[in-house]
Amino acid sequence: MTDHDSSQGQLTTKLTHLREHVHRLEAENEHIAAELAVRSAQYASLFENNHAIMLLIDPETGDIVDANNAACRFYGYHWDALTRLRIADINQLTIAQVHEEMQRARTEQRNYFVFRHKLASGDIRDVEVYSGPIQVGERALLYSIIHDITERKQAESDLRESEERFERLANITFEGIVIHDQGTILDANETFAQLFGYTLPDLTGGQVLDLFAPESHPTVSHNMLSGYEKPYRAVGLHADGSTFPVEILGRATPYKGIKARVAAVRDITLRKQYEQRAVELAIERERVKMLERFIGDASHDLKTPLTTMKISLAVLQRDPDEMRRQRHLNTLEIQITRLEELLNDLLSMAHLDKTVELNTHPVEVVRLVGEVVETVAPAAANKQHTLDFSAGPDRCVLLADPNKLQTALNNILTNAINYTPYGGQITVHLSQTSQHGVITVADNGIGISIIDLPHIFQRFYRADPARNTVQGGMGLGLTIARRIVEAHQGRIDVTSELGTGSTFTITLPLQRGANG
């Protein structure tokens, strides 16, 4: 065998191993995709479509980070509106009290709470909240599972007063029922006895505290003696020495001529397991969804300019013609600029996710808008757009951060330029009302469909056919613009018709006493 034949054989072997490695990678990718599909279905079932009301909260700021469909229905908000609120906007405690309770949940001093929550309609509801810490990537959040107990509290106020009625209902209920006088057991149902592993004769005359683990004695004793009438949790002690979590609800009741106390006791072992699993699945699904979205967009938007740059570099290495070399150098510069813009968008969104710090001072809006229009004019000219700017006669002054406000307006104008076919018309107009300055950006571009319109301010969202190598971007421009405008206590509204064009309206509060 010659050296050439040996080298050829080695090359063939390496190629065979490489093909096998590629096949394994493809199989692993298919497995990962299947896992993602299963987790997506689990998440939809146990979080998004769950009847239990679930929130994720930042314990430091009180911001509502995420909410499931049940939470949106219960509080009466759309998801994007609900996740712009803080929990203190809903909870009827003071801000200081809300922060104190969040810290108790964060440090696991308590995981069960009873609050009064305000709905979007203004109605106040009594709720019980099961809350605790959960780690989401590098963020330490709180999960809250919320139950509306308004009707239950009303039902509790109508509890049975007659001994006969109590006995009939107690014998058929699935919950343990016990009647006691200052902790001495007077009566109970079979479910209660079975719950703790005793017979009814064994329990009668005994002490309630003997049925609970020592760590629960202070809570149970205090609630019995104080007449506490809200649900609370404790640790039950079975006759065999094992322990289990229970939920207790007690109230005063007449019994054989004395004022006794009745308590309903429920084993919540399965509920706690379900709650923990539901939260874990919700967090995992959110993590997977964010990774899917980011990887999909980033791989497309970063690969496109890199591919163009690679081709241009290859041509530069071989092409002796100076004009063609210069053209490819220009292409490289454009793609590098595009990569910088993509990364800047990501960095801007990361900063805005944390907080929006504004360096505000009085700003002449007509000058600010005019500077932005001049900045984007070359891009508009490249597409042969007509770009017009007009302003009303009144002096318009805002208390604003000019740099950030220019960024927001630049993003909206860039969006109009990109989404308007060659030779389009883009109009910018500044006006004001008695309390607000209004900036309108209108175009006769491709417009936005009814399906896409509610989502255009979501990060990474772009409606087709916007995704192409010319327009680029990661779908963050409008998201950044809205965050900046809302930080100025303003709002962005949009109207659009597919095939006709879009109009974005920025409304910002005027500086008092500086306009006229």
Side-chain angles (χ1 to χ4, degrees):
M1 177 182 294
T2 65
D3 291 341
H4 177 270
D5 293 336
S6 176
S7 298
Q8 185 67 30
Q10 292 175 358
L11 179 59
T12 301
T13 301
K14 289 181 179 179
L15 287 174
T16 300
H17 291 166
L18 181 60
R19 290 192 188 97
E20 291 173 351
H21 182 64
V22 170
H23 289 324
R24 285 196 299 271
L25 289 177
E26 291 174 345
E28 290 173 2
N29 286 338
E30 291 176 357
H31 178 72
I32 291 172
E35 285 289 323
L36 287 175
V38 170
R39 292 185 180 183
S40 297
Q42 290 174 333
Y43 176 77
S45 174
L46 294 177
F47 183 75
E48 294 179 341
N49 300 327
N50 199 295
H51 293 298
I53 303 162
M54 298 181 183
L55 298 176
L56 287 179
I57 300 166
D58 186 331
E60 297 299 330
T61 64
D63 291 340
I64 298 175
V65 176
D66 200 3
N68 69 349
N69 294 332
C72 295
R73 289 193 300 270
F74 175 70
Y75 290 108
Y77 291 97
H78 292 295
W79 181 89
D80 57 348
L82 184 54
T83 53
R84 287 199 300 268
L85 298 178
R86 293 183 175 181
I87 194 63
D89 297 327
I90 293 173
N91 198 310
Q92 294 304 288
L93 297 179
T94 65
I95 295 176
Q97 290 172 328
V98 170
H99 181 75
E100 182 179 352
E101 298 294 357
M102 284 195 298
Q103 298 316 305
R104 288 197 178 102
R106 182 181 65 82
T107 58
E108 298 186 275
Q109 296 178 33
R110 289 179 60 188
N111 60 7
Y112 175 80
F113 306 86
V114 176
F115 299 125
R116 290 172 64 79
H117 280 188
K118 184 177 182 180
L119 310 186
S121 64
D123 291 341
I124 305 297
R125 306 291 288 183
D126 294 296
V127 296
E128 60 181 13
V129 180
Y130 302 94
S131 186
I134 192 78
Q135 192 73 22
V136 183
E138 296 182 359
R139 299 186 67 183
L141 302 178
L142 290 177
Y143 72 86
S144 289
I145 300 175
I146 299 153
H147 300 280
D148 182 5
I149 60 170
T150 306
E151 285 74 19
R152 188 174 74 187
K153 289 188 68 175
Q154 181 61 39
E156 291 168 9
S157 68
D158 298 329
L159 279 175
R160 314 160 296 281
E161 293 188 3
S162 70
E163 297 176 12
E164 294 80 5
R165 185 182 179 192
F166 165 77
E167 291 175 354
R168 289 196 303 270
L169 294 176
N171 288 331
I172 64 173
T173 185
F174 292 104
E175 294 183 337
I177 303 294
V178 62
I179 299 177
H180 64 89
D181 179 19
Q182 300 295 308
T184 299
I185 298 174
L186 303 177
D187 200 358
N189 66 353
E190 286 290 346
T191 303
F192 183 83
Q194 294 170 6
L195 188 64
F196 291 92
Y198 293 96
T199 64
L200 283 177
D202 292 334
L203 292 176
T204 304
Q207 295 299 307
V208 170
L209 286 182
D210 293 339
L211 302 175
F212 295 93
E215 62 266 28
S216 292
H217 286 183
T219 300
V220 175
S221 178
H222 175 269
N223 290 344
M224 285 193 305
L225 299 178
S226 66
Y228 190 74
E229 294 192 356
K230 294 181 180 179
Y232 65 96
R233 290 185 175 185
V235 178
L237 181 61
H238 197 271
D240 63 10
S242 62
T243 59
F244 57 100
V246 297
E247 182 181 79
I248 304 170
L249 176 63
R251 62 162 296 172
T253 185
Y255 181 79
K256 294 184 179 180
I258 64 171
K259 185 177 181 180
R261 189 166 175 83
V262 60
V265 182
R266 178 187 302 171
D267 184 346
I268 58 171
T269 301
L270 293 178
R271 184 204 294 181
K272 289 191 68 175
Q273 293 173 352
Y274 166 76
E275 289 171 353
Q276 182 61 30
R277 178 168 175 76
V279 170
E280 290 172 355
L281 286 173
I283 300 305
E284 178 66 13
R285 178 63 183 91
E286 180 62 20
R287 186 184 70 84
V288 170
K289 184 170 65 175
M290 290 181 67
L291 284 174
E292 286 177 334
R293 184 170 57 191
F294 175 77
I295 291 171
D297 284 292
S299 62
H300 177 279
D301 292 320
L302 295 176
K303 184 176 180 180
T304 299
L306 289 174
T307 301
T308 303
M309 292 166 67
K310 184 177 180 181
I311 294 171
S312 295
L313 284 171
V315 173
L316 279 171
Q317 291 174 343
R318 297 192 304 268
D319 196 338
D321 185 270
E322 187 61 32
M323 291 185 63
R324 286 197 296 268
R325 288 172 63 86
Q326 184 61 45
R327 186 167 64 250
H328 286 290
L329 284 171
N330 292 339
T331 299
L332 283 172
E333 183 177 1
I334 292 171
Q335 296 305 322
I336 290 171
T337 300
R338 182 173 169 221
L339 281 174
E340 288 178 340
E341 291 173 350
L342 294 175
L343 294 176
N344 285 336
D345 276 353
L346 285 174
L347 290 173
S348 296
M349 200 65 238
H351 290 311
L352 292 174
D353 275 341
K354 297 176 182 177
T355 182
V356 183
E357 296 181 359
L358 301 179
N359 181 19
T360 60
H361 55 80
V363 174
E364 289 275 2
V365 185
V366 65
R367 178 181 299 174
L368 181 145
V369 177
E371 290 175 354
V372 176
V373 170
E374 289 181 6
T375 299
V376 302
N382 286 340
K383 293 189 68 174
Q384 302 175 12
H385 293 329
T386 299
L387 178 59
D388 294 327
F389 170 47
S390 62
D394 296 326
R395 180 171 179 261
C396 186
V397 178
L398 304 177
L399 189 63
D401 184 324
N403 292 331
K404 286 188 170 60
L405 207 54
Q406 283 183 330
T407 297
L409 185 56
N410 186 292
N411 287 353
I412 292 175
L413 275 169
T414 299
N415 186 76
I417 292 170
N418 288 341
Y419 280 70
T420 301
Y422 278 81
Q425 174 76 38
I426 299 173
T427 303
V428 183
H429 181 69
L430 171 63
S431 61
Q432 71 177 71
T433 65
S434 60
Q435 296 181 337
H436 296 90
V438 182
I439 304 169
T440 303
V441 178
D443 64 63
N444 62 346
I446 64 175
I448 307 168
S449 72
I450 296 176
I451 296 174
D452 292 319
L453 195 59
H455 307 290
I456 61 171
F457 291 109
Q458 295 176 7
R459 68 183 67 190
F460 305 122
Y461 189 88
R462 289 182 299 184
D464 288 335
R467 182 180 295 281
N468 58 55
T469 58
V470 176
Q471 292 163 323
M474 283 191 175
L476 290 172
L478 292 181
T479 306
I480 293 170
R482 184 174 68 172
R483 291 295 299 274
I484 292 173
V485 170
E486 289 178 348
H488 284 81
Q489 308 303 313
R491 71 175 191 273
I492 299 181
D493 299 303
V494 57
T495 59
S496 185
E497 184 176 345
L498 198 61
T500 300
S502 304
T503 299
F504 286 79
T505 303
I506 303 174
T507 304
L508 296 162
L510 296 172
Q511 183 187 24
R512 294 183 178 179
N515 299 276

